Amino acid sequence: MLFRTRRLAAASVAVTAATALVAGCTSGSGSTSGASGDTLTLWTHNAGNSVELDVVKKIIKDFNGSQDKYKVKLQAFPQSDYNNSVVAAASARKLPCLLDVDGPNVANWAWGGYLSPIDVSGSEVPLSDQLASTVGDYKDKLYAFGFYDVSLAFFARKSVLGEHGIRVPTMDKPWTKDEFDAGLAKLKKSGKFEYPLEMGTGGTGEWWSYGYSPQLQSFGGDLIDRDDYKTASGTLDGKNAVEWASWFHSLVANGYMAKKSGADPNKDFLAGKSAIQWDGSWNAAKNAEKLGDDLAIIPPVDFGNGPKIGGASWQWAMSSTCSNKAGAQEWLKFSRQTKYFVDYAKATSTIPATDAAAQQIADYQPGGKFDVLVQFAREYVTVRPATPAYPYISTEFEKAAKDILAGADPKNALGQAAKDIDSNLKTNNYYSN
């Protein structure tokens, strides 16, 4: 299997760290044989996330105790190092049998030869029961699946909006661009907020594409022409995209939003430093605990082409070099039990990938306080482009968006990003191999 080198939109990691991770894998096949049966190595990005890691450990323990043919062995790494470490391990043919992958990278890892298609037929939970954004397909083959997704939303205090005569929008009637801009103007004029809007502009990496490209798409633009995934020119730098970029910059120019937000935007929102926050569902429980019934969970703005949010979170996959694909797929199938979908959602405050799991969690049941987030995930998701070029596209979009907030000409910044993406596509033969 040919492993192609490609660029990931992830935090940089030193070569020594990547080398250490590769050395930590005992077998190039990700599988070893022993007296107790075949041992399958599993990698996860959750070393710094104990609540999610505990769910992974539970599934492994249950699987290992359910039979004696296979044994799964866990290796957990920091998320900041994980993607680059997988690339290094793939180049050395040292990938484990099982690994997790961020949803938007599935196509790239499949194209690069890191992953093998998987068959989870016969699982307790059919794939058809899952949110579409939690299934990782590439070229009509299944490569990964996830137990949960997250949703973007605006959070605000109902009392603050009411005080300033700003309507609390609903899914039936979301804010329009003009209504949103007018509300921000009122909040700014009140003098109570240095920056009435918090959109996490101090973040880095994938947050920029995940957080802001849905707004670009609501304007009618996109990161790439999805008809054939062969060009960004005319789409990323088209009229609608430039309108988005001009609006995005106006948020800073008008003093509605900081060019670079603080280290903890959610903490600032809860402290009352901002009136409206664009954030993920992962902070919904914390917000509700602090604000109670005063919390408003608000749908995305309709900028002309409907409200949009991003989709796809971490998913599980099997490496192409796994020497025991039957065993790896047995673990994947075993994990697909409703109780584990429930465990993930409860532990991580994320949206369950199935209705059956949601019905077992009070907050996500129909009528529950976070059911609206499930509805957002169903109705508003635009999955990030399922192309092997996506990691490069994401990096170029982040650079252009940051330049635009810093004052760069919107058309020029997006035009340069589109040219660079087109060059990458051409260099890689449009990822057709």
Side-chain angles (χ1 to χ4, degrees):
M1 176 67 69
L2 173 65
F3 289 91
R4 302 178 178 90
T5 301
R6 86 284 186 275
R7 181 178 177 185
L8 271 173
S12 295
V13 60
V15 172
T16 52
T19 303
L21 289 177
V22 173
C25 186
T26 57
S27 171
S29 68
S31 174
T32 58
S33 296
S36 60
D38 287 335
T39 298
L40 309 170
T41 304
L42 176 150
W43 280 14
T44 177
H45 72 288
N46 281 310
N49 182 358
S50 61
V51 292
E52 186 167 347
L53 184 61
D54 284 346
V55 179
V56 179
K57 289 178 178 178
K58 179 181 179 181
I59 298 173
I60 291 173
K61 181 180 179 181
D62 290 352
F63 176 75
N64 289 346
S66 70
Q67 43 73 52
D68 57 11
K69 188 174 182 180
Y70 310 112
K71 180 181 179 182
V72 173
K73 177 182 177 183
L74 172 70
Q75 288 184 277
F77 305 116
Q79 181 172 339
S80 60
D81 296 349
Y82 185 75
N83 285 343
N84 285 333
S85 302
V86 168
V87 175
S91 298
R93 301 184 65 80
K94 294 287 186 179
L95 282 172
C97 267
L98 295 158
L99 67 165
D100 54 8
V101 50
D102 200 5
N105 289 334
V106 169
N108 184 278
W109 288 15
W111 169 83
Y114 304 176
L115 308 179
S116 273
I118 57 176
D119 177 8
V120 293
S121 57
S123 303
E124 177 184 307
V125 177
L127 283 170
S128 58
D129 286 0
Q130 292 197 213
L131 291 170
S133 58
T134 64
V135 178
D137 292 320
Y138 177 62
K139 290 191 173 181
D140 299 322
K141 294 181 180 179
L142 175 68
Y143 282 90
F145 66 85
F147 291 89
Y148 58 81
D149 205 349
V150 290
S151 173
L152 286 164
F154 284 108
F155 296 101
R157 290 169 172 82
K158 296 174 185 175
S159 57
V160 169
L161 298 181
E163 179 185 349
H164 295 88
I166 301 170
R167 179 180 66 88
V168 178
T170 63
M171 290 186 71
D172 290 336
K173 192 178 179 182
W175 279 327
T176 64
K177 174 183 177 297
D178 289 345
E179 191 176 9
F180 186 51
D181 289 348
L184 292 175
K186 288 180 180 179
L187 292 165
K188 180 68 176 180
K189 187 177 180 180
S190 74
K192 294 184 178 181
F193 307 98
E194 181 180 4
Y195 299 111
L197 177 63
E198 173 58 73
M199 289 221 295
T201 51
T204 58
E206 187 56 26
W207 167 250
W208 283 74
S209 292
Y210 177 71
Y212 310 134
S213 67
Q215 296 171 343
L216 161 70
Q217 290 152 353
S218 185
F219 267 86
D222 207 344
L223 297 170
I224 190 172
D225 183 343
R226 299 196 190 212
D227 287 341
D228 56 13
Y229 294 96
K230 289 187 175 181
T231 182
S233 295
T235 300
L236 180 55
D237 60 350
K239 177 178 178 291
N240 294 333
V242 173
E243 287 180 1
W244 162 78
S246 299
W247 170 82
F248 193 52
H249 173 70
S250 77
L251 296 175
V252 171
N254 291 331
Y256 299 158
M257 177 181 78
K259 181 168 64 176
K260 184 176 182 179
S261 60
D264 192 339
N266 186 244
K267 183 177 180 181
D268 289 344
F269 166 69
L270 291 177
K273 292 184 179 180
S274 54
I276 302 172
Q277 185 188 14
W278 180 237
D279 197 9
S281 55
W282 52 84
N283 277 323
K286 185 192 300 184
N287 292 346
E289 182 180 358
K290 172 78 173 181
L291 303 181
D293 291 340
D294 197 29
L295 176 66
I297 302 177
I298 297 170
V301 175
D302 182 352
F303 291 105
N305 286 266
K308 307 287 185 184
I309 63 172
S313 191
W314 287 88
Q315 301 175 3
W316 287 99
M318 176 177 69
S319 75
S320 60
T321 52
C322 177
S323 64
N324 193 335
K325 291 183 170 63
Q329 292 186 123
E330 281 304 306
W331 184 85
L332 291 169
K333 290 180 183 180
F334 179 89
S335 73
R336 295 182 53 76
Q337 299 182 51
T338 296
K339 64 182 180 181
Y340 298 134
F341 283 80
V342 172
D343 289 342
Y344 269 108
K346 285 183 175 179
T348 60
S349 297
T350 49
I351 297 169
T354 70
D355 286 343
Q359 289 168 7
Q360 295 186 35
I361 305 172
D363 289 342
Y364 291 108
Q365 291 174 358
K369 61 184 176 183
F370 300 140
D371 176 49
V372 67
L373 294 169
V374 179
Q375 302 307 315
F376 291 177
R378 285 199 189 111
E379 300 297 328
Y380 298 149
V381 163
T382 298
V383 177
R384 283 159 283 182
T387 167
Y390 178 75
Y392 186 86
I393 292 170
S394 181
T395 301
E396 291 303 308
F397 178 75
E398 177 186 0
K399 180 179 182 298
K402 286 181 175 178
D403 287 347
I404 288 163
L405 287 190
D409 178 77
K411 186 170 181 60
N412 289 343
L414 292 177
Q416 186 60 56
K419 288 178 183 176
D420 290 343
I421 291 168
D422 285 359
S423 177
N424 175 270
L425 292 165
K426 185 176 180 180
T427 298
N428 286 284
N429 195 30
Y430 305 100
Y431 297 89
S432 59
N433 295 335

